[in-house]
Amino acid sequence: MDELSRQAKILKSGTEEVLPEGELERKLAASLHEGRPLRVKFGVDPTRPDLHLGHAVPLRKLRQFQDLGHQVILLIGDFTAMVGDPSERDVTRPQLSGEEVAENAKTYTEQAFKILDRDKTVIDYNSRWLAPLDFEELLKLTSHFTVARLLERDDFSRRYTNNIPICLHEFLYPVMQAYDSIALEADVEIGGTDQKFNLLAGRELQRAMGQDPQCVMTLPILVGLDGKNKMSKSLGNHIGLTDPPEEMFGKLMSISDELMPLYLRLTTSFELSRIEELEREWRNGKLHPAQLKRELALEVVSLYWGEEKARAALDRFDLVFKRRELPGELPEKVIEEGAFEGGDIWIAHLAHIAGVADSSSDALRAIEQRGLRLNGEKVTDKSLRLTPDQADGAILQKGRRKIVRIRVGRN
């Protein structure tokens, strides 16, 4: 296999579409002939402070480009984030302030370097060229787009048909993302399948403004832990890149059997032949679903925390959940005595401030689903209140992953 075919095979693996047909091969051939690396762009809007495994899918594809010698540009959409990407949205996103965006952006690059090679990554911010645009320049850019073309988008079309408002600034989002490709002279842009319209808009604007249009590469969307929605922190169905090893391992063990093939392909570094072998053994009944999930979880946690911590997470999972035992050393959470207003504390509030539930409402849902335990016993009374003496030393557990020993801080 020649170098062109080798690179094309690696880069196209796991993609949904590479458009137009043959364009990636053409650009790779020119790159190899000229000795010039391709400029590969991926943009992310810092609308929230943390990245999750869904974000890791395109980041891992970027790493493949890096390993093959190409130039990766991680574009922080600090300007576009203030507008908000309308893709797959049925309502207008709330606009963020510049301060909120800047705070979120601080964490993005460090988290991205869990996957990308720091020394081979160019970090840029689209406020560098979008903020200085004057109104005349903006008018020239928008003249390359028609309202009819924008209304072809499923999300805009659906909202228009259902008389749901579409704000004018939302129409400008694909224009701005397209201009990013002009500013960066991108050869390739990657994104999720939900970004296809925006990525193709970049091609159209590059062609209109005399640049060689970029190749568009779309990647599958990672389904979250709920098994139906796109992984999203706002939906609480995510696995964060900064989740502790034990929590990340436990979340991966909780995915449904139906999601395993998708996760094997999108979240691991296994060779395709290895993935196909694991799937075949699972479907033939030679490999138990739980064992396959262990292989998956061990691999993913190793990618972000190293093999030693991944093995430790596996051992702890086995200790707590497979053998149904509690480890001798539990993480402890100190609750100050002042939290016991009136001399006691509501169990749902305790679960929240102890960190085993995302909120009091989350704790109540866990009680309803018989998923909250106090000292090994299922909590059934949603109005239960504990005194400081009752809470001190108590073991609080939600589901299979979150467990702490409560300590009461006394003045």
Side-chain angles (χ1 to χ4, degrees):
M1 183 184 297
D2 62 24
E3 181 62 13
L4 172 59
S5 299
R6 185 181 78 88
Q7 289 200 22
K9 181 179 180 180
I10 291 171
L11 295 173
K12 293 175 80 171
S13 65
T15 59
E16 193 75 20
E17 289 185 286
V18 180
L19 301 170
E21 183 69 30
E23 184 72 357
L24 179 64
E25 288 83 354
R26 182 184 74 79
K27 287 184 177 291
L28 285 172
S31 170
L32 291 168
H33 177 71
E34 300 168 7
R36 179 185 70 85
L38 296 179
R39 291 174 60 82
V40 186
K41 165 198 170 192
F42 171 62
V44 58
D45 288 348
T47 52
R48 289 184 176 271
D50 300 309
L51 300 181
H52 51 63
L53 287 185
H55 296 113
V57 175
L59 291 175
R60 288 171 55 76
K61 181 58 66 177
L62 289 179
R63 181 57 189 255
Q64 288 182 335
F65 274 100
Q66 285 185 326
D67 291 343
L68 292 171
H70 299 290
Q71 178 64 71
V72 161
I73 305 167
L74 178 60
L75 178 63
I76 305 297
D78 57 335
F79 196 89
T80 43
M82 290 189 289
V83 173
D85 186 0
S87 299
E88 302 297 312
R89 301 286 291 191
D90 287 329
V91 294
T92 301
R93 288 181 182 269
Q95 289 185 260
L96 300 179
S97 68
E99 291 75 16
E100 290 174 305
V101 171
E103 188 63 29
N104 291 343
K106 289 178 183 178
T107 66
Y108 267 46
T109 51
E110 285 305 313
Q111 293 175 53
F113 289 140
K114 281 179 167 284
I115 300 170
L116 300 177
D117 186 326
R118 185 186 298 266
D119 296 329
K120 297 179 181 179
T121 304
V122 173
I123 304 291
D124 215 331
Y125 298 81
N126 62 11
S127 60
R128 186 165 66 84
W129 50 84
L130 291 177
L133 282 178
D134 60 30
F135 207 78
E136 180 181 358
E137 292 169 313
L138 181 60
L139 288 176
K140 289 179 181 178
L141 287 179
T142 56
S143 70
H144 297 291
F145 297 82
T146 67
V147 172
R149 178 79 173 90
L150 291 169
L151 284 175
E152 289 176 7
R153 287 177 50 144
D154 289 342
D155 38 34
F156 285 157
S157 176
R158 186 168 57 247
R159 287 162 65 178
Y160 183 75
T161 301
N162 294 323
N163 293 316
I164 299 172
I166 305 171
C167 293
L168 183 59
H169 73 273
E170 294 182 275
F171 276 152
L172 294 179
Y173 188 93
V175 178
M176 291 188 290
Q177 183 169 330
Y179 190 66
D180 291 343
S181 295
I182 294 287
L184 294 172
E185 299 182 341
D187 295 307
V188 180
E189 182 172 13
I190 69 174
T193 53
D194 58 340
Q195 291 294 307
K196 182 177 177 179
F197 184 96
N198 294 341
L199 305 183
L200 290 174
R203 275 185 58 83
E204 294 176 11
L205 191 58
Q206 283 179 309
R207 183 185 294 109
M209 299 187 72
Q211 284 189 13
D212 185 25
Q214 65 190 12
C215 174
V216 167
M217 182 177 285
T218 64
L219 300 167
I221 299 296
L222 185 65
V223 176
L225 297 176
D226 57 6
K228 56 182 179 180
N229 294 304
K230 173 182 176 180
M231 185 171 284
S232 166
K233 188 173 182 183
S234 61
L235 294 176
N237 65 354
H238 67 291
I239 302 174
L241 297 189
T242 57
D243 282 351
E246 294 84 1
E247 184 174 348
M248 183 181 285
F249 193 98
K251 285 182 176 180
L252 288 161
M253 290 297 294
S254 75
I255 66 171
S256 67
D257 293 355
E258 292 74 19
L259 284 181
M260 289 192 293
L262 180 69
Y263 273 64
L264 283 169
R265 282 169 167 73
L266 298 186
T267 67
T268 76
S269 59
F270 289 146
E271 296 287 341
L272 181 59
S273 58
R274 172 64 172 154
I275 293 173
E276 291 174 343
E277 177 189 5
L278 288 170
E279 282 188 35
R280 187 165 52 249
E281 291 183 353
W282 165 52
R283 295 188 189 281
N284 290 340
K286 294 180 180 179
L287 185 63
H288 192 279
Q291 183 57 39
L292 179 53
K293 288 179 191 177
R294 285 162 61 88
E295 296 265 3
L296 167 68
L298 187 63
E299 162 69 7
V300 174
V301 177
S302 294
L303 287 174
Y304 299 104
W305 292 102
E307 186 175 353
E308 183 178 348
K309 290 185 177 180
R311 290 283 177 188
L314 183 152
D315 290 343
R316 185 175 187 276
F317 182 87
D318 282 349
L319 184 64
V320 178
F321 305 114
K322 187 178 179 182
R323 295 197 291 270
R324 294 290 188 262
E325 299 172 7
L326 290 174
E329 294 186 9
L330 288 173
E332 294 189 350
K333 177 66 176 180
V334 177
I335 306 298
E336 296 300 329
E337 197 168 19
F340 293 78
E341 298 180 4
D344 55 22
I345 190 169
W346 182 33
I347 185 65
H349 181 53
L350 177 62
H352 171 43
I353 62 176
V356 299
D358 294 334
S359 64
S360 296
S361 297
D362 181 40
L364 285 175
R365 285 193 294 271
I367 294 172
E368 291 171 354
Q369 297 164 8
R370 302 180 69 81
L372 187 69
R373 290 176 179 266
L374 179 66
N375 296 326
E377 299 294 328
K378 292 178 180 177
V379 178
T380 57
D381 181 2
K382 292 191 288 186
S383 62
L384 177 66
R385 303 187 72 87
L386 302 177
T387 65
D389 288 341
Q390 290 172 326
D392 194 25
I395 296 171
L396 198 57
Q397 180 178 354
K398 174 176 170 284
R400 295 185 171 185
R401 298 184 300 273
K402 296 185 177 180
I403 179 171
V404 298
R405 190 188 305 276
I406 303 296
R407 293 298 183 194
V408 176
R410 302 179 188 270
N411 297 328

